[in-house]
Amino acid sequence: AQSVAQPEDQVNVAEGNPLTVKCTYSVSGNPYLFWYVQYPNRGLQFLLKYITGDNLVKGSYGFEAEFNKSQTSFHLKKPSALVSDSALYFCAVRDRTNTDKLIFGTGTRLQVFP
Amino acid sequence: ETGVTQTPRHLVMGMTNKKSLKCEQHLGHNAMYWYKQSAKKPLELMFVYNFKEQTENNSVPSRFSPECPNSSHLFLHLHTLQPEDSALYLCASSQETRNQPQHFGDGTRLSIL
């Protein structure tokens, strides 16, 4: 069965420091992977996706993610965190057996301190 | 502005009431989705419509009834809900269901008394 794990409920980082939000996945075949962000009282907002090609994917607001097939990971990164990056981040994988379906992780709350 | 509008933003209803949630997308997408978001639980897919045809019903209780009259509008009709149905209900749309990202509305916060 396809699944996504986000092992950290919360990540704390100081403004200006690099940040990483972890995601590992389990799929049969090649994965389609996505990152979304949710700000308070808002819906989810698409950040970036990996379908095929270059393992380093660049997205919105300076975020990027690295696809690592051997480690089945798709960690979200940013070189320099901003206080405004504080939000809830979701990793998601396309269900290859039912391609209408996105499977989401439980989310990681990112807190960036000034 | 995400291009996906949900109304109402907040809804409080009793267990015997009947109400409907509305979603409208202005993005020209062909697929629309209903999700349930509860605290400390993964986002739960409820229904998928692709070109107005329902393609996914994720074992959702019959007290939730979706309706998709056209590719731009999606409704979720609610009746005789339970307290555990209190949650944030999110609507999303995408160009198609495979590679394209989903665009979410800001949700309806539903509270069942």
Side-chain angles (χ1 to χ4, degrees):
Chain A
Q2 334 290 322
S3 65
V4 174
Q6 292 182 246
E8 301 154 317
D9 288 339
Q10 180 151 333
V11 170
N12 299 316
V13 64
E15 188 174 32
N17 282 1
L19 70 86
T20 299
V21 182
K22 294 179 181 177
C23 172
T24 58
Y25 63 89
S26 173
V27 297
S28 55
N30 295 321
Y32 293 173
L33 296 157
F34 302 80
W35 274 104
Y36 288 82
V37 59
Q38 186 176 30
Y39 298 99
N41 301 313
R42 302 297 302 274
L44 277 67
Q45 185 174 335
F46 169 72
L47 278 179
L48 50 81
K49 67 178 180 180
Y50 172 82
I51 303 298
T52 187
D54 195 349
N55 290 345
L56 186 63
V57 180
K58 293 188 183 297
S60 306
Y61 312 120
F63 283 93
E64 57 189 29
E66 186 167 12
F67 170 63
N68 188 318
K69 188 172 184 178
S70 62
Q71 297 185 3
T72 62
S73 67
F74 189 56
H75 300 332
L76 182 70
K77 300 182 180 185
K78 187 173 182 181
S80 179
L82 299 173
V83 172
S84 57
D85 292 329
S86 299
L88 192 56
Y89 290 81
F90 291 93
C91 183
V93 63
R94 172 75 68 203
D95 187 337
R96 293 277 177 150
T97 62
N98 179 352
T99 56
D100 287 354
K101 195 171 179 177
L102 265 185
I103 299 170
F104 286 85
T106 51
T108 298
R109 186 163 300 282
L110 174 67
Q111 191 72 48
V112 181
F113 294 95
Chain B
E1 182 61 48
T2 67
V4 180
T5 304
Q6 290 188 244
T7 53
R9 290 296 311 276
H10 302 272
L11 179 61
V12 180
M13 57 188 285
M15 289 192 288
T16 58
N17 291 157
K18 290 184 180 180
K19 295 286 184 182
S20 296
L21 310 185
K22 180 183 177 182
C23 176
E24 184 174 1
Q25 59 98 357
H26 308 274
L27 300 168
H29 289 165
N30 298 310
M32 296 188 77
Y33 312 77
W34 279 117
Y35 287 90
K36 177 183 179 183
Q37 186 177 28
S38 306
K40 300 192 185 301
K41 293 177 69 174
L43 209 61
E44 300 174 52
L45 178 66
M46 300 175 72
F47 301 104
V48 179
Y49 279 83
N50 203 0
F51 290 94
K52 301 188 298 177
E53 298 297 320
Q54 189 179 119
T55 57
E56 176 80 20
N57 178 337
N58 202 24
S59 302
V60 180
S62 59
R63 58 186 184 269
F64 295 91
S65 174
E67 179 189 1
C68 187
N70 54 61
S71 293
S72 299
H73 293 86
L74 185 64
F75 295 89
L76 188 63
H77 303 300
L78 316 172
H79 65 97
T80 59
L81 294 193
Q82 303 299 309
E84 61 265 28
D85 298 324
S86 297
L88 181 67
Y89 288 83
L90 293 166
C91 173
S93 71
S94 63
Q95 183 59 39
E96 44 81 24
T97 58
R98 293 174 179 262
N99 298 336
Q100 297 305 310
Q102 295 175 15
H103 296 254
F104 285 79
D106 288 335
T108 295
R109 175 70 62 187
L110 177 64
S111 298
I112 306 300
L113 301 178

